[in-house]
Amino acid sequence: MCRWLAYSGTPQILETILYKPAHSLIDQSLHSRLGVETTNGDGFGIGWYAQDPDVNTPAVVRDTGPAWNNRNLREIASHVRSPLFFAHIRASTGTAVQQTNSHPFRHDRWMWMHNGAIAGFPLLRRELCLAVAPSLFAEIEGSTDSEVMFCLALTFGLEDDPPGAVARMAGLVERTGRAHGIAAPLQMTIATTDGSDVWAFRYASEGVARSLFYSSRVDSLRALHPDVSFLRDLSEETRLVVSEPLGSLPGAWNEVPEHSCGVVRENGADELRPFAPA
């Protein structure tokens, strides 16, 4: 499978989050503790939004090699500052290791990344792709289930109603899979954003989904750890959503419940609710 993180809040140099924590995403690319695979070396990607309001779409950099020794990633991460960014390390579930299969995926202002799989995807791929809107079909560059899920969610209204669109996408995947005799078609943790709010989903047809965590409120962490200096510079709205905790600071991480959807809002009005396919 894969590991990923989504950051929203006080603008940060990317390496502060990607490299410096004790169990950073780069460390997870070699030493994942909660993933299906220990090593996630089948490609990586980062996507970020500029602080310049005249830049309307996120930058996305993806590659096919492992993240742990990529000099270009290290160079970018030490020079780019962003208030909202995604990062993903890939362990292929069977599709090719190629640049167009690395996450995150982008459409206009939107980004999307996924950990998990559609069971029996080669069997279901044609039917699922036929449900993608014709205007979006040409945007499918790679061969992953993740990219098809993104285009289906866009087809079903992601830009207007993210939870509803992802629920409709998940429902289609499950109906299609079960029609082909697949009992548990879908396994997913997903992050998607329009550059303002970040939505995260944790769901599995079989009932046990891949790991997902979110960071505690900054004001609560300051109260718990008044001696931790880096917390002083973070806004109250700063949040991380991660496949695995980046460190062991007590009280810092909370597990996302099974079958849940959460939103990290730009104004700090975060929300966590149940999720089910439609």
Side-chain angles (χ1 to χ4, degrees):
M1 299 293 175
C2 309
R3 306 278 82 184
W4 57 256
L5 71 78
Y7 174 88
S8 175
T10 300
Q12 294 284 340
I13 294 289
L14 269 57
E15 74 168 357
T16 305
I17 307 297
L18 294 183
Y19 284 89
K20 292 186 177 181
H23 191 47
S24 69
L25 197 68
I26 304 304
D27 180 66
Q28 291 175 38
S29 66
L30 274 170
H31 306 295
S32 172
R33 298 169 185 166
L34 301 178
V36 175
E37 297 87 3
T38 301
T39 303
N40 297 270
D42 294 330
F44 69 86
I46 52 173
W48 69 92
Y49 294 85
Q51 293 180 261
D52 186 342
D54 294 328
V55 179
N56 294 317
T57 59
V60 173
V61 173
R62 302 182 292 175
D63 208 341
T64 57
W68 63 76
N69 66 354
N70 190 281
R71 296 179 67 184
N72 289 331
L73 176 60
R74 186 81 203 216
E75 184 73 11
I76 292 168
S78 64
H79 287 78
V80 170
R81 185 184 301 272
S82 173
L84 199 166
F85 58 88
F86 280 6
H88 186 280
I89 51 175
R90 184 171 183 244
S92 172
T93 55
T95 51
V97 177
Q98 60 191 46
Q99 191 178 72
T100 53
N101 283 347
S102 293
H103 310 217
F105 303 101
R106 175 180 61 190
H107 171 77
D108 293 336
R109 279 192 60 79
W110 286 82
M111 287 197 297
W112 173 282
M113 58 187 176
H114 167 234
N115 173 33
I118 296 176
F121 180 62
L123 179 64
L124 311 183
R125 183 179 178 185
R126 181 176 181 275
E127 284 182 59
L128 295 176
C129 285
L130 286 173
V132 172
S135 60
L136 293 166
F137 186 81
E139 293 192 20
I140 301 176
E141 295 184 314
S143 57
T144 63
D145 50 1
S146 306
E147 188 177 18
V148 172
M149 291 165 69
F150 182 30
C151 289
L152 285 170
L154 287 165
T155 298
F156 296 148
L158 181 70
E159 293 164 296
D160 299 316
D161 175 18
V166 174
R168 289 186 282 275
M169 175 276 293
L172 175 65
V173 170
E174 289 200 324
R175 289 192 301 275
T176 305
R178 286 168 180 157
H180 286 269
I182 299 170
L186 186 57
Q187 173 70 245
M188 70 178 205
T189 64
I190 287 170
T192 188
T193 182
D194 60 356
S196 297
D197 299 334
V198 177
W199 288 266
F201 301 84
R202 186 185 186 202
Y203 176 80
S205 304
E206 63 191 23
V208 180
R210 298 293 179 253
S211 60
L212 194 64
F213 297 82
Y214 64 95
S215 61
S216 298
R217 290 178 54 90
V218 172
D219 54 354
S220 300
L221 288 175
R222 286 198 194 108
L224 284 171
H225 305 284
D227 56 328
V228 178
S229 59
F230 75 83
L231 294 173
R232 299 169 196 158
D233 299 325
L234 298 179
S235 69
E236 303 294 340
E237 294 77 28
T238 296
R239 292 288 187 278
L240 273 160
V241 185
V242 298
S243 295
E244 297 186 19
L246 305 186
S248 57
L249 188 68
W253 301 103
N254 312 275
E255 186 173 12
V256 175
E258 299 278 2
H259 297 188
S260 293
C261 162
V263 58
V264 176
R265 299 195 185 279
E266 196 174 30
N267 61 9
D270 302 342
E271 187 179 351
L272 185 64
R273 65 178 83 160
F275 174 84

